[in-house]
Amino acid sequence: MTTNMELFVKYCIVVCVLQVCQTVAQQTQEDTQTERCTNCCNGIPGIPGIPGSAGLPGSIGQKGDNGEPGLAGLPGEKGAMGEQGMKGSTGKPGPKGDKGDQGLAGQAGVKGKRGIKGDTGSTGGQGVQGQKGEKGQRGQVQHQPRVAFSVARTTSMDRVSSDTVVIYDKVHSNIGNGYNTDSGKFTCPVRGSYIFMTTALRQTSSYSVHVCVMKNTLELSCAYEGSDNGRSASNSVIIDAEQGDEIWVRLYGNSALSSSINKHTTFTGYLLYPNTD
C-alpha cells in the first residue's frame, strides 16, 4: 500500500512540473511576441508571477512494455517438513532386471531335523562268490541223555473229596526210567528243559474234571472241563527243571475223571535239552 502511494505522489509532482513548464513556455512565447511589440509600442515587461497550484492528476496511461527479467534472487530458507501424505497405491511391477552376479557363499545353516525314512531300494545284484574258507576242526560229540515217558490210565476215578495224585497204570514208554508207576510221579534224572502234556476225560455230567501238572508243590498248568459229559480237557507246559524235581498230575477235590482200555486220560513228558551251565 505504501509503495503505490509513493508512486502516486511522484506522478502528481511530475504532472505539476510538466504543466508549469508548459505554462512557462507559453508565457515565454507570448512575452517574446509582446517584447517584439513592446519594443515597438510597450515598455519593459514585468517580473513573472508565482506558479499556480498543481492541477488534478491525469488519467492513468497505457501499460508499458515488460521490463527485462531481474537477477535471480537468493534462495529462501528451507521450509518446515509437512505432514506425511497418505500411502499411494502399489504400482505395477517393473520389468524383470538382468540376472546379477552370484553372491558369496553364506555360512552353513543349523542342521535340520532328520527326514522321514525313504522307501527301501531294490535288491542289488548278487555279488561275486568269495573264496572257500579253510576247513574247521572236527567238533567233539557230546553225549545227549535220552529222557522220555508216556503213560495212561485204563480205569476211571470217581469223585475225590480232596486233591489226589493221578496214577497212570499203562506205560507206553519210560526212557531213562524217570516215571514211577507206584507213586505216579516222574523224577527228572538230569537238569535241563522239559515239556509235559496231560489229557483228562470228563466222567459224568454231575462232576467236572479238573487236573493240573505240578512240579513238586508248584502248580504249572491246568486243564478243566465242566460243560458237557464226554469231553476232554488238555494242556501242556515247557519248564526248566533241576535234577531230582518231581513232576506229577493232581486231580482237584470234588472232581472226577474217566478212562478205560481206550486210554482217554494220559500223561507225557520228555527232555528237550540238558542244561550243563
Side-chain angles (χ1 to χ4, degrees), residues 88-138:
S89 58
T90 304
K92 296 181 180 180
K96 184 178 181 181
D98 297 334
K99 183 178 180 180
D101 298 334
Q102 183 175 355
L104 300 175
Q107 297 180 354
V110 180
K111 184 177 180 181
K113 296 181 179 180
R114 185 173 183 178
I116 300 173
K117 182 179 180 180
D119 298 334
T120 303
S122 57
T123 304
Q126 184 176 356
V128 180
Q129 184 176 358
Q131 298 180 357
K132 184 177 181 180
E134 298 180 357
K135 185 176 181 180
Q137 297 179 356
R138 184 173 181 178

Side-chain angles (χ1 to χ4, degrees), residues 4 9 82 94 140 155 179 192 197 199 203 208-209 212 223 233-234 240 248-249 251-253:
N4 291 336
V9 172
Q140 297 180 356
T155 59
Y179 180 74
M197 296 160 283
T199 301
Q203 184 183 38
S208 60
V209 60
C212 289
S234 62
D240 291 329
W248 52 283
V249 177
L251 178 64
Y252 268 83

Side-chain angles (χ1 to χ4, degrees), residues 195-264:
I195 183 170
F196 298 99
M197 296 160 283
T198 184
T199 301
L201 179 66
R202 184 180 182 189
Q203 184 183 38
T204 64
S205 58
S206 301
Y207 303 104
S208 60
V209 60
H210 189 185
V211 295
C212 289
V213 177
M214 307 290 294
K215 183 177 78 169
N216 301 322
T217 59
L218 177 65
E219 187 178 277
L220 299 178
S221 65
C222 296
Y224 176 84
E225 175 58 50
S227 60
D228 197 4
N229 187 28
R231 290 192 176 186
S232 295
S234 62
N235 208 338
S236 61
V237 63
I238 296 176
I239 65 168
D240 291 329
E242 299 292 334
Q243 184 179 6
D245 284 342
E246 290 184 334
I247 312 298
W248 52 283
V249 177
R250 177 174 64 184
L251 178 64
Y252 268 83
N254 200 31
S255 63
L257 61 81
S258 177
S259 193
S260 65
I261 59 174
N262 293 322
K263 310 171 188 68
H264 302 293

